[in-house]
Amino acid sequence: MATQALEFDPPVASAELVATLDTLDARLRWLSSWTIHNANHLRDSRDGLKVGGHQASCASISTIMTALYFAALGPNDRVAVKPHAGPVLHAIDYLLGIQTLDQLKSFRGFKGMQSYPSRTKDKIPVDFSTGSVGLGVAITAFASIVQDYLVAHGRLAPTDTGRMIALMGDAELDEGNIYECLIEAYKHDVRNCWWIVDYNRQSLDHTTMDRMFDRFDDIFATCGWRVLTLKSGKLQKAAFALPGGAALEAWIDACPNADYAALTYQGGAAWRARLLADIGAQAGVAPLLARYDDEALGRLMTNLGGHCIETLLEAFAAAQDDVPTMFIAYTIKGNGLPFAGHKDNHAGLMNPGQVDALRQSMGIAQGDEWQPYAGLGGNAAAALQAFVEGSPLHAKVADRKAPVIELPDRLPVPEGAEQSTQAAFGRILLELAKSGSALADHIVTTSPDVTVSTNLGAWVNQRGLFRRQDMADVFSLARIPSPQKWAARPAGQHIELGIAENNLFLMLAAAGLSAPLFGTQLFPIGTVYDPFIARGLDALNYACYQDARFLLVATPSGLTLGPEGGAHQSINAPLLGIGQPGLTAFEPAYADELALFMAYAFRHMQAEDGGSVYLRLTTRSIAQVARTDDRWEADALAGGYWLRKPAPGSTAAIAYMGTLAVEALAAWEQLVDDLPGLGLLAVTSPDLLHRGWSARAAARWTGAPPTPCHAEALLGALAPGARLVTIVDGSPSALSWLGGVCGHRVSPLGVDRFGQTGDLVDLYREYRLDSDAIVDAMAEALL
């Protein structure tokens, strides 16, 4: 499908508005360049390292951002800003009076303006955190789906909806998650989504491949997007209408990216020589070029659509419906700066002389570089200030405060003498689905094609799949027996995804930001096979970085997934749980532990200082333990409790995680007669234990009064020099560090090599996870 042209009569922007926005564009380009220059050349450098800041990337998108923010953006629109354009966003907020001068001066400094827009670390409002791997682009599509979900459930008024907009560099189109997202967005009929490509055709190392010129529009159009290509600005279009203009337009269309960039850097004289050599003999071309001096010819050849305010305004006006739209805005990397078009300008910085020349060209006096409207003259400065102060941007909706959802103190514990944590998870959700509680109504579940095999099926049967239009369950209508009822409706509460884990975490990120973005608290629950967390780890980290709130249920896990083989057996997942900020990890062994942790997760998701939660579950059914009281619960929520308390001053203990409670308990029973007072420690969260231990150590460095950590309180029951055997269905290092808390000697058991197929008897024996291995390890430790 060919690129779509503008097929309507757009409202003509007034000359006054265009002139005002052009002036603003130059102002934003200057402020972003000066902010970066100050950080690299003027601010004291104590470590001698380059600060960086991407002046060329800011310059290529400043016109796009000027037209978008000051003319096209609605009050409920949310924008994911191209990461390298962060300084332009801060410059906009500086003009609006939202950003401070101190923050601009401390760009990329400690607690200053961040390198890339950050929801959690920047002082200005940031809709979506962005980095350089396309995740900030893809989340906007999922945020659009979440917005539709809230409207369908009556939790967001249609009048309070907006567009989810991504500003991206063209190099981000090389990121695979863009296309995984594109496919999922098509399945869910995404709408109210704009992706605006700063198509400067230069990346970090090189100019982009010419072969992709005609491919992006085809790819997106195939997935239901309207594609609007903004290749030429008004100056070029006017020239194309003159005699010789058709030849000039054809030459531009055929010019390789690298050639265009190099000629841009060389300037008007080089443009003239090349054009005359290539097409000067064609009718009308030489007289057409003679109309322009070298400076004017350079302006003409760089007057691309992404640098033309009028062209941008027309394009934005052409997409005022809810059709997802991709704008391919051709630009020049470093536009308006002395290294425009140079292949090395991605990380390039203007030298002091170049910056000074730019300052003088704008009429800015020395010492006035930070003044918002310096160099404009009194009347012009006042007019531009009045325009900015009257901008609709002041009405842009900031993060909302969501009403707190009333939560039960406890969740029901499924009955059963033997059960797996995965099955118990499904039964707890089923009871919630039947309850009609406020909690159940605010839960939204999602899964990458493993809904049934992660025990979400019963929940979906009760609450239904979400679609904006009703979709019948064909198998049910045909009376084909199936335990799964897959009817879809707007009131459904499960969003089924294709088998792309990256999309799962982006969906969780978007739904987990529902409270601040849309003013409604959701409790997103995503299920995935534990070993495949790593497939979407970038997106998981991205979600946590911007403080999205969700419950990740990873199951089945570990070597315990025996017959599936080594590729499906997770080894390092417990380490991910320990190491991921913003994510609290638990690995329950019993159904009552699971119910406790799920109740905690819902509270934690909407707490002011809360976060997300990760549960590592298994399909192995084990005998449940009898409880005489609930005193174990507080310790379990803190990271661990004594399933069998050690005698005071005991010289040995076994520490286990998850389903290996069976082997640990069997070994304890074999050893306790020979080792009276032997302790059996259930580690429910090595994450929380390690976090507390680290915080205690940090308190010494900061001068804060030291407080005992939970790991120290637990292990302090043992004698100094006591022996610990630790066992985990994963990397042994998840627990081996416990010896450092109180100086105990540790014999760690776990999985540190790829698994294989087999039943649990063979696998546990081979990988030393059985009770015999624990007994042997304890004997060795005591010797």
Side-chain angles (χ1 to χ4, degrees), residues 10 47 52 103 107-108 175 197 202 244 252 258 282 367 395 421 434 504 527 529 531 554 611 705 713 768 776:
D47 55 19
Q103 281 287 296
F107 171 55
R108 293 195 172 190
E175 295 288 354
V197 184
Q202 286 184 256
I252 290 175
Q282 295 188 33
T421 48
K434 294 177 178 177
L504 168 73
T527 63
Y529 291 173
R768 290 180 53 77
D776 290 345

Side-chain angles (χ1 to χ4, degrees), residues 322-333:
D322 65 2
V323 176
T325 303
M326 181 186 188
F327 303 86
I328 302 176
Y330 278 67
T331 59
I332 299 292
K333 193 156 189 173

Side-chain angles (χ1 to χ4, degrees), residues 411-416 418-432 454-456 458 553 555 588-596 598 615 617-622 624:
L411 295 178
V413 178
E415 295 181 357
E418 287 195 8
Q419 50 188 312
S420 70
T421 48
Q422 177 177 310
F425 163 71
R427 293 169 67 188
I428 291 171
L429 270 187
L430 175 60
E431 291 305 311
L432 277 174
T454 55
N455 282 66
L456 276 179
V553 178
T555 182
Y590 302 111
D592 55 359
E593 293 176 357
L594 173 63
L596 182 72
M598 287 181 67
L615 300 178
L617 309 183
T618 79
T619 53
R620 185 189 185 197
S621 185
I622 66 173
Q624 303 297 290

Side-chain angles (χ1 to χ4, degrees), residues 358-383:
L358 180 61
R359 175 188 62 77
Q360 292 183 51
S361 72
M362 297 186 67
I364 298 173
Q366 278 191 324
D368 288 347
E369 291 89 352
W370 293 109
Q371 294 300 315
Y373 305 104
L376 290 177
N379 291 336

Side-chain angles (χ1 to χ4, degrees), residues 114 123 231 471 510 643 709:
Q114 297 296 294
K123 299 295 190 292
K231 191 164 190 177
M471 184 177 71
L643 186 65
C709 65

Side-chain angles (χ1 to χ4, degrees), residues 408 411-412 424-445 455-465 489 491-494 525 598 602:
L411 295 178
F425 163 71
R427 293 169 67 188
I428 291 171
L429 270 187
L430 175 60
E431 291 305 311
L432 277 174
K434 294 177 178 177
S435 71
S437 65
L439 168 59
D441 291 343
H442 286 80
I443 289 174
V444 56
T445 59
N455 282 66
L456 276 179
W459 163 269
V460 177
N461 285 347
Q462 288 289 321
R463 292 285 173 153
L465 288 167
R489 56 187 186 275
Q493 288 180 244
H494 178 73
I525 301 175
M598 287 181 67
F602 294 127

Side-chain angles (χ1 to χ4, degrees), residues 378-724:
N379 291 336
L384 189 60
Q385 183 175 359
F387 177 84
V388 170
E389 290 179 351
S391 166
L393 277 176
H394 288 288
K396 188 178 185 300
V397 175
D399 281 358
R400 299 169 166 98
K401 184 72 174 178
V404 174
I405 306 302
E406 184 176 350
L407 299 175
D409 293 331
R410 291 179 173 273
L411 295 178
V413 178
E415 295 181 357
E418 287 195 8
Q419 50 188 312
S420 70
T421 48
Q422 177 177 310
F425 163 71
R427 293 169 67 188
I428 291 171
L429 270 187
L430 175 60
E431 291 305 311
L432 277 174
K434 294 177 178 177
S435 71
S437 65
L439 168 59
D441 291 343
H442 286 80
I443 289 174
V444 56
T445 59
T446 185
S447 186
D449 201 36
V450 290
T451 295
V452 176
S453 52
T454 55
N455 282 66
L456 276 179
W459 163 269
V460 177
N461 285 347
Q462 288 289 321
R463 292 285 173 153
L465 288 167
F466 168 70
R467 291 281 181 178
R468 284 195 293 113
Q469 292 83 31
D470 287 342
M471 184 177 71
D473 182 345
V474 174
F475 280 76
S476 178
L477 292 177
R479 304 191 178 213
I480 299 173
S482 170
Q484 308 306 326
K485 302 176 179 65
W486 287 91
R489 56 187 186 275
Q493 288 180 244
H494 178 73
I495 301 175
E496 179 70 0
L497 302 174
I499 191 163
E501 287 77 11
N502 210 72
N503 284 339
L504 168 73
F505 291 116
L506 287 170
M507 175 60 79
L508 289 175
L513 290 173
S514 175
L517 292 182
F518 304 115
T520 295
Q521 179 70 56
L522 290 178
F523 298 103
I525 301 175
T527 63
V528 65
Y529 291 173
D530 192 60
F532 300 151
I533 289 177
R535 170 64 179 79
L537 194 55
D538 278 348
L540 171 60
N541 183 65
Y542 170 71
C544 292
Y545 176 68
Q546 56 187 333
D547 197 25
R549 307 291 182 85
F550 52 86
L551 173 58
L552 170 63
V553 178
T555 182
S557 64
L559 200 75
T560 300
L561 187 60
E564 290 287 344
H568 282 60
Q569 295 165 0
S570 50
I571 297 171
N572 63 352
L575 301 179
L576 299 177
I578 294 174
Q580 178 61 58
L583 187 71
T584 300
F586 292 97
E587 184 164 344
Y590 302 111
D592 55 359
E593 293 176 357
L594 173 63
L596 182 72
F597 300 149
M598 287 181 67
Y600 165 85
F602 294 127
R603 293 193 301 272
H604 194 58
M605 277 190 263
Q606 70 172 351
E608 191 72 28
D609 59 348
S612 295
V613 175
Y614 159 38
L615 300 178
R616 189 171 187 247
L617 309 183
T618 79
T619 53
R620 185 189 185 197
S621 185
I622 66 173
Q624 303 297 290
V625 293
R627 309 285 189 185
T628 57
D629 55 51
D630 60 5
R631 285 180 293 179
W632 61 276
E633 292 182 351
D635 280 353
L637 285 171
Y641 67 97
W642 288 107
L643 186 65
R644 298 289 185 267
K645 288 186 177 180
S650 175
T651 60
I654 300 167
Y656 72 87
M657 277 175 59
T659 188
L660 294 179
V662 175
E663 284 65 37
L665 189 55
W668 181 88
E669 290 171 347
Q670 291 180 58
L671 290 167
V672 71
D673 289 339
D674 295 326
L675 295 172
L678 177 68
L680 182 58
L681 179 63
V683 177
T684 54
S685 175
D687 176 23
L688 287 177
L689 291 182
H690 193 276
R691 204 183 303 174
W693 184 45
S694 297
R696 186 189 186 286
R700 291 197 299 269
W701 309 329
T702 60
T707 55
C709 65
H710 188 54
E712 187 179 39
L714 289 170
L715 297 174
L718 303 176
R723 273 37 175 176
L724 281 177

